[in-house]
């Protein structure tokens, strides 16, 4: 949703995304999905598709309606600044949550620990390569629980702007989002249903036009319905991805990046990379331009069709793959000489980045409309960008090659 998608997780933007369209009145259906691991084992589980169908179509509309009609009772409490970084943003107690969800071994706790470790690792790698720039850190919390850590390095030696944010959010889903979950013919309607969301989101914009921009985001979402709430089953899913947005194509760089993503996927399921690579190409599509934002990577959302522990390990592997996928590329390209023409083209591509984020990215647009933390939401935007009237690169030029690859996605690894 972040990014999403630039997904700061300061709002409930983790609703599922799909290229298909479903009706919000779809009745409850169950699908048995089989996931195979690299150990050759097969995991089969039955899952309820109701929330997937409903949230995909109704969550954004219903939450915006709720926000507009109940401005005195916002979906998510406003943040407040903190001077110290807490050990955890999880609630110490929550009367609506089973005790098992609040322990140190819960998925919530382990996911939070993972994203905070990933934030530290990525920020350390960025500072080391930059050689002088340091991240500014803002810590914030909310009165009812949750909070986040926003880190931004701006105008460094290598990076124009680099943001790495983590957050843990508690909020409430409106009853309409769960209405399709009631049994056929039942008059029972669920009350407001609490949810939990945690994630890491990052966008890294280098100065050198030969060094690519990187975006990554990994998140976990869970509904937290009280046991006595009719028609509102508990649900969880994972989402996220890592994608590359260069201004110029160095094929060995793009192949390296995609090979690392494929390697992370293949450790868990050989179908993941081709499935999530296509999802990435489809998601980061600028419809009014008829082109992709960049050269892709992997992207997924609404992922709960495998064992929960396996998907937690998969999200962890993906987050840990960011540094080896990206930093070697930066080290090769950060000091290459460039001209004003190269820089102008980079700025035009940055303009495309802005267009996608402000027009199509679910996390960004939803956050702006529902009162999310504005600095965390817009940290994804570059420090500088450019728009020229009716600009067309010369056919056969390096700029043209990049644009062609954005219009016609390629398979970078087999």
């Amino acid at each position: 949703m972040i990014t999403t998608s630039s997904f700061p997780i300061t709002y409930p933007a983790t609703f599922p995304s799909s290229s298909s369209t479903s009706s919000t009145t779809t009745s409850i259906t169950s699908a048995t999905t089989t996931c195979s691991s690299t150990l050759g084992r097969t995991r089969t589980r039955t899952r309820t598709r109701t929330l997937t169908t409903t949230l995909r179509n109704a969550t954004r509309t219903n939450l915006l309606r709720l926000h507009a009609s109940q401005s005195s009772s916002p979906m998510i409490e406003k943040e407040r600044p903190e001077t110290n970084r807490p050990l955890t943003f999880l609630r110490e107690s929550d009367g609506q949550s089973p005790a098992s969800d609040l322990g140190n071994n819960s998925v919530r706790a382990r996911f939070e620990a993972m994203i905070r470790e990933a934030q530290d690792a990525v920020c350390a790698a960025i500072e080391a390569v930059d050689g002088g720039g340091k991240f500014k850190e803002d810590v914030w919390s909310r009165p009812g629980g949750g909070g986040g850590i926003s880190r931004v390095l701006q105008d460094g030696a290598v990076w124009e702007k680099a943001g790495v944010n983590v957050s843990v959010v508690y909020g409430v889903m409106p009853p309409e989002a769960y209405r399709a979950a009631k049994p056929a013919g039942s008059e029972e309607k669920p009350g407001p249903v609490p949810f939990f969301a945690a994630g890491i989101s990052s966008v890294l914009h280098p100065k050198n036009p030969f060094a690519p921009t990187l975006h990554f985001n990994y998140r976990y979402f869970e509904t937290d319905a009280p046991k006595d709430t009719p028609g509102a089953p508990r649900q969880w899913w994972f989402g996220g991805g890592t994608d590359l947005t260069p201004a110029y194509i160095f094929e060995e760089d793009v192949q390296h990046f995609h090979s690392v993503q494929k390697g992370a996927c293949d450790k868990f399921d050989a179908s993941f990379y081709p499935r999530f690579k296509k999802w990435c190409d489809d998601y980061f599509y600028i419809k009014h331009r008829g082109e992709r934002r960049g050269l892709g990577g992997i992207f997924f959302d609404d992922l709960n069709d495998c064992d929960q522990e396996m998907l937690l390990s998969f999200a962890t592997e993906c987050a840990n793959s960011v540094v080896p996928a990206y930093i070697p590329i930066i080290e090769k390209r950060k000091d290459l000489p460039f001209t004003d023409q190269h820089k102008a083209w980079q700025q035009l591509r940055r303009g495309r980045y802005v267009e996608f984020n402000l027009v199509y990215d679910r996390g960004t647009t939803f956050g702006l409309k529902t009162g999310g933390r504005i600095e965390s939401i817009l940290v994804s935007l570059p420090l500088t960008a450019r728009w020229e009237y009716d600009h067309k690169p010369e056919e056969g030029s390096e700029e043209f090659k990049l644009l062609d690859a954005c219009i016609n996605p390629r398979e970078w690894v087999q």
Side-chain angles (χ1 to χ4, degrees), residues 26-228:
T26 302
S27 60
I28 299 174
T29 60
S30 296
T32 301
T33 305
T34 301
C35 263
S36 59
S37 71
T38 56
L39 298 178
R41 294 175 299 181
T42 300
R43 295 180 174 91
T44 303
R45 63 186 295 270
T46 301
R47 61 175 178 151
T48 302
R49 285 285 191 179
T50 304
L51 293 182
T52 299
T53 302
T54 307
L55 290 174
R56 181 177 294 137
N57 298 279
T59 299
R60 187 187 312 190
T61 301
N62 288 331
L63 286 176
L64 289 174
R65 185 182 299 122
L66 181 74
H67 182 68
S69 63
Q70 299 181 0
S71 58
S72 62
S73 179
M75 294 173 294
I76 303 175
E77 297 168 301
K78 280 295 184 182
E79 71 278 352
R80 60 188 179 193
E82 299 289 345
T83 56
N84 297 312
R85 193 188 313 156
L87 293 176
T88 179
F89 289 106
L90 296 178
R91 289 170 173 165
E92 293 182 2
S93 62
D94 188 335
Q96 295 180 333
S97 295
S100 61
D101 275 350
L102 303 174
N104 290 331
N105 292 322
S106 69
V107 173
R108 292 182 180 189
R110 284 180 288 153
F111 193 86
E112 184 199 21
M114 182 275 283
I115 60 177
R116 291 183 64 167
E117 289 171 5
Q119 183 186 43
D120 290 342
V122 171
C123 289
I126 293 299
E127 288 186 349
V129 173
D130 194 88
K134 298 294 182 182
F135 279 92
K136 174 187 176 181
E137 178 177 282
D138 292 320
V139 181
W140 49 274
S141 67
R142 290 196 171 91
I149 303 169
S150 299
R151 292 180 185 168
V152 178
L153 186 158
Q154 189 165 286
D155 204 17
V158 174
W159 273 275
E160 178 184 281
K161 189 178 181 185
V164 189
N165 300 339
V166 297
S167 56
V168 173
V169 171
Y170 294 87
V172 176
M173 286 287 186
E176 289 85 350
Y178 286 85
R179 196 150 290 169
K182 63 182 180 179
S186 172
E187 296 301 320
E188 292 182 322
K189 298 179 180 180
V193 178
F195 72 88
F196 169 89
I200 180 170
S201 178
S202 175
V203 179
L204 310 172
H205 293 293
K207 288 184 171 181
N208 194 305
F210 296 126
T213 286
L214 181 86
H215 160 257
F216 74 92
N217 167 272
Y218 292 98
R219 54 196 179 271
Y220 174 69
F221 185 94
E222 184 179 306
T223 59
D224 199 17
K227 292 181 179 180
D228 59 352

Side-chain angles (χ1 to χ4, degrees), residues 177-357:
Y178 286 85
R179 196 150 290 169
K182 63 182 180 179
S186 172
E187 296 301 320
E188 292 182 322
K189 298 179 180 180
V193 178
F195 72 88
F196 169 89
I200 180 170
S201 178
S202 175
V203 179
L204 310 172
H205 293 293
K207 288 184 171 181
N208 194 305
F210 296 126
T213 286
L214 181 86
H215 160 257
F216 74 92
N217 167 272
Y218 292 98
R219 54 196 179 271
Y220 174 69
F221 185 94
E222 184 179 306
T223 59
D224 199 17
K227 292 181 179 180
D228 59 352
T229 300
R234 297 193 57 155
Q235 183 63 291
W236 58 264
W237 61 80
F238 292 85
T242 306
D243 63 281
L244 196 70
T245 306
Y248 289 92
I249 295 179
F250 293 90
E251 295 219 5
E252 63 269 30
D253 293 353
V254 186
Q255 289 168 357
H256 166 77
F257 174 79
H258 276 268
S259 68
V260 174
Q261 303 310 306
K262 184 177 185 299
C265 291
D266 287 352
K267 289 182 180 180
F268 297 87
D269 193 309
S271 72
F272 278 3
Y273 175 74
R275 175 184 169 192
F276 300 153
K277 193 267 185 187
K278 184 180 185 303
W279 202 334
C280 187
D281 289 336
D282 292 343
Y283 179 78
F284 293 104
Y285 182 64
I286 308 172
K287 296 178 183 178
H288 61 270
R289 296 283 187 181
E291 64 191 64
R292 276 77 189 167
R293 189 177 74 179
L295 301 185
I298 59 172
F299 179 83
F300 56 89
D301 208 348
D302 178 35
L303 197 62
N304 65 355
D305 57 356
C306 299
D307 177 76
Q308 189 178 35
E309 290 294 326
M310 186 269 249
L311 292 178
L312 175 60
S313 297
F314 173 58
T316 301
E317 182 70 25
C318 290
N320 290 341
S321 73
V322 168
V323 170
Y326 183 57
I327 294 301
I329 298 174
I330 292 297
E331 289 177 330
K332 285 195 298 183
R333 309 303 173 192
K334 65 184 178 67
D335 296 320
L336 291 181
F338 59 87
T339 67
D340 290 344
Q341 178 184 348
H342 296 137
K343 190 66 179 177
W345 174 248
Q346 179 202 46
Q347 298 301 291
L348 287 170
R349 296 311 302 174
R350 292 274 175 82
R352 300 291 201 269
Y353 206 98
V354 172
E355 289 177 24
F356 177 84
N357 280 31

